[in-house]
Amino acid sequence: MSEPAASDRFDGRRALVTGGASGIGRATAELFAERGAAVAVLDRDDEVRGAGVVGVVADVRDGTAVEAAVEQAEERLGGPPDLLVNAAGVYRIREATDLDEVEWDEVLDTNLRGTYLVAREFVRRLRTSAGRSQHAAVVNLASTAAMVADAGEPAAHYNASKAGVVALTKQMAVEWAADGVRVNAVAPGVIDTPMLRMMDDPEAGQAYLNARVPLRRLGMAREVAEVVAFLASERASYVTGATVVVDGGVTAT
């Protein structure tokens, strides 16, 4: 007899989404809630909206604040989360020779250190939980900037932080497999979120899409969230340590 098909539902699951007040994080939190998960959003912005979603305010760069926030999320969800999406991030444009240490640290501390701190606390709490899930999953938000450079929008600090997320994802996947925790990453390309700067000049932005993006359009946050949800679900039960690109074909050219 064949095994029953895995579901894309998250009924009975508890999810923590960082950076969930806007953009891809918000789309992911909303999608998880729609599919039955109890969701806590960890964000510096307290404007968290959506049915079935609770908000926890914290700065992911601060280890002490992260510990307190994950504990608060556990209390509000009724148990430790067994799904984690690290979507908190910042994007800054600056030529490498003009970068100072403060700018470098802001981006690396948010995008890479923050991903590490939240994931570490997530797994620590799972390990000490009496009724811990055997199907836990972490999905980290990387970027195609980890793979390709861009002379038009130079951002060495951002690129380095996202390349670090890809490497960190692989290492976490190997270390935490014995805990029943799968760890994957999603690498979006140009996505229509508040972080996007390309369309500040609509004419130039459309010219880029026409010339560089095979699908010739921006991606939508919901489209990325769908891939995040797949990786977090049991449909991806044999996928760990992977980075899935969602970029309309840019890195295929």
Side-chain angles (χ1 to χ4, degrees), residues 5-6 10 13 27 35 45 58 82 89 110 114 117 154 159 167 173 199 214 238 249:
F10 296 106
R13 308 294 294 276
R35 294 184 180 170
D45 187 343
D82 57 2
T110 303
L117 289 175
N159 293 31
M199 301 307 290
Y238 200 57

Side-chain angles (χ1 to χ4, degrees), residues 113-155:
R113 174 187 169 91
T115 294
Y116 161 68
L117 289 175
V118 179
R120 181 185 68 176
E121 188 62 19
F122 169 84
V123 170
R124 283 178 173 175
R125 288 191 167 272
L126 277 180
R127 284 176 173 173
T128 59
S129 172
R132 78 186 199 184
S133 170
Q134 294 301 308
H135 305 286
V138 177
V139 182
N140 298 321
L141 265 293
S143 169
T144 54
M147 305 162 191
V148 294
D150 188 343
E153 290 189 3

